[in-house]
């Protein structure tokens, strides 16, 4: 694939580089904000599963826009992977399913709860849909669990969700903690992708609820098939397409020269990964150090084939 063909196929990938975002995901948060005004009055925010950092960039740019406000703003970003620094963003390299990570986040807030928690967490997909959906759901529940520790009453939680077959159970769990739960699909999220975002407004945990990382939130401990529930017992949340409908369509291919736009010129990624897991393999390959298959020790007659394993 040529350097510009991805720019052509994925308009948001290209715009992200042109506008200096580390990933195209930035547009998803920006479009969610257009619909829900997520950042209004927010001073303390947590970005879970933040690397490479485009959502943290959005938070940093939006919340610290006014110079006099910048000092009061606190943004904590967490990811398994290391992330290049960003202005005004405290970084934690950790696993959001671990109690120790939750405690570290809480410590940074020094008793002052957060106004907003966002989570764009996604596992490394296996391609086995049931497993991918299950792991994604566990990440969301881990994020919710951390949220119950750090979010103020009335605060907002936004998280990626895979709209798979067990999604009703997740909605039910979120509805326990928030006054309003909506599932939103920004324009920049491909229609072909199962991903959407739950926007949970008005944090109001059940009376007497004590946040607890060993809480069996992750256990399906009820003998109920939530998808079989009928009528008012079935939790149905509105599904809303958001972002300006005249915005670019993430499933379309666009010409490099956009209508009325500037001359196209290739822009390299804003922040390449600083320590990607494939770095060692690239080094070995570049230096011809990858182990090579040994030639067979005995000769074969023409046409004789190896038995497949
Ligand atoms: N929002 C990010 C941005 O805008 O740059 C992109 C997030 S990326 C789609 C998903 C991230 O989830 C990955 O960086 C991955 O390392 C992180 N992740 C997956 N499982 C995690 C876990 N258990 N704890 C922390 N981060 C996790």
């Amino acid at each position: 694939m040529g350097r510009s063909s991805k720019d052509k196929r994925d308009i948001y990938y290209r715009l992200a580089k042109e506008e200096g975002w580390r990933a195209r995901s930035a547009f998803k948060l920006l479009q969610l904000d257009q619909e829900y005004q997520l950042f209004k009055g927010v001073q303390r925010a947590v970005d879970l599963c933040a690397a490479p950092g485009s959502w943290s960039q959005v938070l940093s740019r939006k919340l610290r826009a006014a110079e006099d406000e910048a000092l009061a703003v606190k943004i904590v970003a967490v990811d398994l992977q290391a992330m290049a620094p960003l202005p005004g963003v405290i970084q934690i390299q950790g696993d959001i399913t671990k109690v120790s990570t939750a405690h570290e986040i809480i410590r940074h807030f020094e008793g002052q709860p957060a106004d907003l928690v966002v989570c764009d967490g996604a596992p490394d997909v296996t391609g086995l849909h049931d497993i991918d959906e299950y792991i994604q759901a566990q990440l969301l529940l881990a994020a919710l669990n951390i949220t119950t520790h750090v979010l103020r009453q009335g605060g907002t939680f936004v998280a990626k969700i895979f709209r798979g077959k067990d999604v009703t159970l997740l909605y039910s769990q979120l509805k326990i903690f928030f006054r309003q739960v909506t599932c939103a699909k920004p324009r920049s999220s491909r229609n072909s992708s199962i991903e959407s975002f739950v926007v949970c407004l008005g944090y109001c945990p059940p009376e007497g609820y004590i946040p607890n990382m060993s809480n069996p939130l992750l256990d399906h401990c009820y003998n109920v098939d939530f998808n079989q529930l009928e009528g008012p017992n079935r939790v149905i949340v509105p599904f809303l397409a958001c972002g300006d409908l005249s915005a670019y369509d993430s499933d379309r291919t666009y010409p490099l020269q956009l209508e009325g736009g500037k001359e196209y010129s290739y822009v390299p990624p804003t922040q390449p990964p600083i320590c990607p897991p494939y770095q060692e393999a690239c080094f070995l390959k570049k230096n011809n150090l990858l182990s090579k298959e040994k030639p067979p020790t005995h000769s074969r007659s023409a046409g004789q084939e190896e038995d497949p394993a």
Side-chain angles (χ1 to χ4, degrees):
M1 186 166 66
R3 286 202 310 176
S4 54
S5 55
K6 187 154 182 201
D7 286 4
K8 202 166 157 183
R9 273 194 309 121
D10 187 338
I11 187 69
Y12 285 103
Y13 169 80
R14 168 181 161 188
L15 292 179
K17 292 186 296 163
E18 289 177 358
E19 292 180 20
W21 302 112
R22 291 180 179 184
R24 69 191 292 294
S25 323
F27 294 105
K28 299 176 191 170
L29 187 57
L30 288 167
Q31 289 172 350
L32 287 168
D33 175 52
Q34 272 169 19
E35 191 68 43
Y36 295 97
Q37 289 79 48
L38 300 173
F39 307 139
K40 203 168 163 194
V42 170
Q43 286 202 318
R44 289 177 296 278
V46 181
D47 182 8
L48 299 171
C49 302
S54 78
W55 279 28
S56 291
Q57 274 185 298
V58 171
L59 292 172
S60 172
R61 285 193 202 175
K62 291 278 176 181
L63 306 186
R64 304 171 79 251
E67 224 169 272
D68 52 329
E69 285 169 7
L71 277 179
V73 168
K74 185 166 263 182
I75 303 165
V76 176
V78 187
D79 202 284
L80 287 171
Q81 296 180 48
M83 204 170 100
L86 279 170
V89 178
I90 300 168
Q91 288 185 35
I92 298 173
Q93 192 172 353
D95 182 342
I96 66 158
T97 66
K98 293 263 163 62
V99 183
S100 53
T101 311
H103 287 316
E104 210 177 330
I105 300 170
I106 297 162
R107 198 166 46 76
H108 280 295
F109 281 96
E110 296 158 347
Q112 286 193 302
D115 306 300
L116 171 70
V117 179
V118 296
C119 175
D120 189 25
D124 287 338
V125 283
T126 63
L128 301 169
H129 298 317
D130 283 349
I131 294 180
D132 293 339
E133 280 165 36
Y134 178 77
I135 301 174
Q136 160 66 26
Q138 299 308 301
L139 264 186
L140 194 157
L141 291 174
L144 173 63
N145 221 352
I146 288 186
T147 300
T148 61
H149 284 79
V150 295
L151 193 61
R152 68 162 168 82
Q153 287 272 346
T156 303
F157 173 58
V158 176
K160 190 196 315 267
I161 189 167
F162 284 178
R163 271 178 305 125
K165 62 179 166 30
D166 288 328
V167 76
T168 309
L169 173 59
L170 282 175
Y171 291 151
S172 311
Q173 286 166 319
L174 292 166
K175 287 281 281 186
I176 294 171
F177 293 95
F178 293 90
R179 272 198 289 277
Q180 189 188 326
V181 177
T182 311
C183 183
K185 179 88 173 168
R187 281 284 274 177
S188 49
S189 171
R190 296 188 185 97
N191 276 328
S192 46
S193 156
I194 191 177
E195 99 176 351
S196 280
F197 294 86
V198 275
V199 179
C200 308
L201 305 175
Y203 179 58
C204 58
E207 217 178 285
Y209 176 77
I210 299 167
N212 177 356
M213 280 306 283
S214 58
N215 189 304
L217 252 184
L218 304 181
D219 297 341
H220 297 199
C221 53
Y222 312 100
N223 198 13
V224 181
D225 180 354
F226 284 80
N227 289 309
Q228 295 305 315
L229 295 175
E230 295 289 344
N233 295 315
R234 186 174 178 121
V235 177
I236 305 208
V237 301
F239 179 76
L240 189 72
C242 69
D244 183 348
L245 291 184
S246 60
Y248 290 113
D249 178 345
S250 53
D251 287 300
R252 257 188 66 187
T253 294
Y254 289 89
L256 289 173
Q257 190 65 52
L258 292 176
E259 224 172 286
K262 309 189 277 224
E263 185 83 0
Y264 169 80
S265 69
Y266 174 78
V267 180
T270 304
Q271 174 64 60
I274 52 174
C275 183
Y278 50 81
Q279 197 170 34
E280 189 182 345
C282 291
F283 173 83
L284 294 174
K285 181 148 194 258
K286 205 165 160 189
N287 293 286
N288 211 17
L289 294 171
L290 281 178
S291 54
K292 295 209 179 76
E293 216 176 300
K294 290 206 179 92
T297 45
H298 57 278
S299 58
R300 253 171 233 285
S301 53
Q304 210 178 355
E305 299 227 341
E306 186 103 304
D307 225 20

